[in-house]
Amino acid sequence: MSLEALLGLSHELGRAERHLAILGEGNTSVRLSPEQFLVKASGGNLASLVPEGVTACHTAPLLKLLDAEAMTDAAIDQALLDSRVDPAAKKPSVEAIFHAWLLTLPGVGFVGHTHPVSVNGVLCSELAREFANRRLFPDEIVCCGEASVFVPYTDPGLKLAQAIRRETVAFQERYGVVPRVILLENHGLIALGPNPASVLAATLMADKAARILLGAAAVGTPRFLTPEQVVRISGRPDEHHRRKVLGL
Ligand SMILES: [Zn+2]
């Protein structure tokens, strides 16, 4: 069931020893149908998320917000409240806007947004863009794709959702695929995929890649795989098989 799967993913992402999110940080969502999705309500804790902390939303009104030129915070708040399927449900966070859009992408059923200590260590540095565009080791390509979307720093809110859409569309035009990972400069990570396992795998592998990059930078100049090596790994039949076995 979608709600149980969403709670399970949230609890995995929220595990304290993983250092991906603390307190009310991060949010998760699942597509219910083309018209509706479930998203963690504002302020809830991922590690201990309960059904009452999840809100069902209509997708269409939030997609409409994305096309708005400029809106006051009060108008955005009202639109978020109005998007709830059950008016008694908790208010979804402003990040529900980008969840709504990402869940319309082909093959995307789940989205997980976190603020990992490791990934943010890189995203708050001069290596941020390179971390998105390049790859360090083969398993990073298997779980996170050939590259990640990079979104230059934007204040959280409607403007950030619009920037995520803009950069993701540009990525799809460039690579011809839906991304696995979106990196928000000075903010955090979004992982997307068909199921909870793919979102968790992309998140954990991005976390590992960030820790490896921090280690590589500590001992010298990091050496990324070449673009040719990345394409070769990405196209290998045994890597496709491994993705399948992992359920990615
Ligand atoms: Zn965030």
Side-chain angles (χ1 to χ4, degrees):
M1 191 194 151
S2 299
L3 175 61
E4 277 168 28
L6 183 70
L7 294 177
L9 173 63
S10 305
H11 299 160
E12 287 291 331
L13 292 174
R15 276 166 57 173
E17 73 276 15
R18 289 189 166 147
H19 304 291
L20 304 172
I22 58 168
L23 307 172
E25 284 186 315
N27 32 60
T28 46
S29 64
V30 57
R31 184 181 189 272
L32 294 177
S33 70
E35 289 84 30
Q36 292 184 5
F37 67 103
L38 297 177
V39 65
K40 192 198 88 167
S42 200
N45 181 294
L46 281 177
S48 58
L49 193 64
V50 290
E52 296 70 40
V54 175
T55 300
C57 294
H58 294 289
T59 304
L62 297 179
L63 296 183
K64 216 168 126 194
L65 270 185
L66 272 174
D67 291 321
E69 286 279 313
M71 281 182 88
T72 62
D73 287 345
I76 294 169
D77 260 9
Q78 193 56 50
L80 285 164
L81 288 169
D82 292 345
S83 74
R84 293 169 302 170
V85 173
D86 173 5
K90 285 187 181 158
K91 192 187 124 189
S93 93
V94 72
E95 289 177 333
I97 303 170
F98 70 67
H99 283 270
W101 184 75
L102 292 172
L103 290 168
T104 68
L105 297 178
V108 176
F110 287 80
V111 175
H113 167 54
T114 52
H115 300 164
V117 172
S118 58
V119 173
N120 276 1
V122 177
L123 293 180
C124 297
S125 82
E126 289 177 344
L127 286 171
R129 191 179 286 271
E130 222 173 358
F131 180 62
N133 292 338
R134 309 280 311 262
R135 288 295 179 250
L136 289 157
F137 54 90
D139 273 311
E140 188 189 8
I141 302 167
V142 173
C143 296
C144 303
E146 282 180 44
S148 305
V149 176
F150 182 70
V151 182
Y153 181 76
T154 308
D155 286 345
L158 180 59
K159 286 263 174 288
L160 177 60
Q162 290 169 333
I164 289 168
R165 179 174 68 169
R166 186 169 58 243
E167 299 298 337
T168 303
V169 167
F171 178 97
Q172 287 175 282
E173 281 167 6
R174 181 172 171 192
Y175 292 95
V177 294
V178 172
R180 293 304 183 109
V181 172
I182 299 170
L183 298 172
L184 313 177
E185 188 177 26
N186 289 82
H187 180 162
L189 167 150
I190 303 169
L192 40 158
N195 49 48
S198 60
V199 171
L200 186 62
T203 304
L204 295 180
M205 197 58 81
D207 165 62
K208 180 164 183 169
R211 284 187 278 127
I212 287 171
L213 180 57
L214 294 167
V219 293
T221 304
R223 296 178 66 182
F224 290 91
L225 293 171
T226 66
E228 294 73 27
Q229 288 167 332
V230 171
V231 168
R232 202 164 65 225
I233 296 287
S234 180
R236 269 168 57 156
D238 56 330
E239 298 294 354
H240 282 298
H241 176 70
R242 289 178 61 206
R243 266 186 208 121
K244 228 172 174 179
V245 170
L246 288 167
L248 307 181

